[in-house]
Amino acid sequence: MPTKIFLVDDHEIVRRGVAELLGEEEDLQVIGEASSVTEALTRVPASGADVAVLDIRLPDGNGIELCRDLRSRLPDLNVLMLTSFADDEALFDAIMAGASGFVLKQILGGDLVNAVRTVASGQSLLDAKSTSALLNRIRRERETGDPLRTLTDQERTVLDLIGEGLTNRQIADRMFLAEKTIKNYVSHLLAKLGMQRRTQAAVFSSQLRKPGQMSPEE
């Protein structure tokens, strides 16, 4: 059976080009496309895809948060980030969100095919430079000891709203997201902060508004 691939990019020309390239390979099959986060969250889970190729910049969000959401719903889905921008921050966030690979759109066609095959087989795809940058970033995070550095912008927003006493449904309404997505954000931020309960996050968030910050263990 060919590897089933789902493409997410807001540029139709890019999607067509990648679909045509991958479609020439007998062991690869593009089974669906989406141009936004909203479309992808609906279509990818229903597609039965083995690999999702995601752009980072999308009109209603970003591919990194999309990757996190899809991986939380579909643990067996392998994700390859395909972007125009070489950004160490984005690389770090993408890998922490569960992406298996990170390549630039300037990549040669044959190399992109090989990249898809690599992540489809369950392997990670990072060159030596990217791996070095990622490891250095992780070391810096540990050295600073600041747990907030590990939160994405969306997770930090959710944490702030938890501190205001909002429920998941209220946070979802405020951020124009699905309640299930908010639940995923809450789970991720609790894990990153080393907390077990939502009430801990609420107390921690409220303390952030005061002079001096308490650690999540307090």
Side-chain angles (χ1 to χ4, degrees):
M1 293 290 291
T3 297
K4 294 176 288 186
I5 305 158
F6 198 101
L7 306 177
V8 182
D9 196 295
D10 58 333
H11 294 97
E12 182 182 3
I13 293 178
V14 173
R15 295 199 310 273
R16 284 187 177 183
V18 174
E20 182 177 346
L21 174 70
L22 299 180
E24 295 177 351
E25 306 299 321
E26 293 183 357
D27 60 327
L28 304 177
Q29 178 186 10
V30 176
I31 60 170
E33 300 178 15
S35 60
S36 67
V37 171
T38 302
E39 289 180 358
L41 288 174
T42 299
R43 297 178 184 176
V44 175
S47 70
D50 302 306
V51 175
V53 179
L54 311 180
D55 189 9
I56 286 185
R57 297 191 177 184
L58 296 166
D60 59 343
N62 68 74
I64 293 173
E65 296 298 339
L66 174 58
C67 173
R68 192 186 307 280
D69 288 343
L70 290 176
R71 290 277 297 164
S72 67
R73 299 185 193 185
L74 308 165
D76 293 331
L77 178 70
N78 295 301
V79 176
L80 176 66
M81 307 304 300
L82 181 62
T83 178
S84 301
F85 307 96
D87 185 340
D88 289 347
E89 186 83 13
L91 166 66
F92 177 83
D93 290 342
I95 300 305
M96 295 303 291
S100 297
F102 187 100
V103 296
L104 298 178
K105 289 182 178 177
Q106 295 93 320
I107 190 172
L108 297 176
D111 291 337
L112 177 58
V113 170
N114 290 332
V116 171
R117 287 179 175 141
T118 296
V119 299
S121 67
Q123 300 179 63
S124 295
L125 182 74
L126 288 176
D127 59 26
K129 181 179 178 180
S130 297
T131 301
S132 177
L134 179 61
L135 292 176
N136 288 336
R137 170 66 184 273
I138 292 174
R139 292 190 191 100
R140 288 197 301 271
E141 297 290 357
R142 289 176 177 173
E143 290 170 359
T144 60
D146 182 1
L148 293 178
R149 287 179 173 269
T150 66
L151 300 185
T152 65
D153 290 341
Q154 293 282 65
E155 289 166 349
R156 182 60 192 267
T157 298
V158 171
L159 177 63
D160 290 341
L161 295 177
I162 288 176
E164 293 180 17
L166 273 64
T167 65
N168 284 352
R169 177 170 295 182
Q170 291 171 329
I171 294 174
D173 291 341
R174 180 79 66 86
M175 297 179 67
F176 304 102
L177 295 171
E179 186 175 356
K180 184 175 182 180
T181 300
I182 299 303
K183 289 181 180 178
N184 290 334
Y185 284 142
V186 173
S187 296
H188 288 304
L189 71 87
L190 288 178
K192 289 181 178 181
L193 295 176
M195 300 176 181
Q196 301 296 323
R197 297 181 298 278
R198 183 191 183 94
T199 51
Q200 291 175 290
V203 172
F204 179 51
S205 178
S206 65
Q207 290 294 323
L208 293 177
R209 297 184 175 84
K210 300 177 182 180
Q213 294 183 1
M214 64 185 294
S215 70
E217 289 79 16
E218 292 178 344

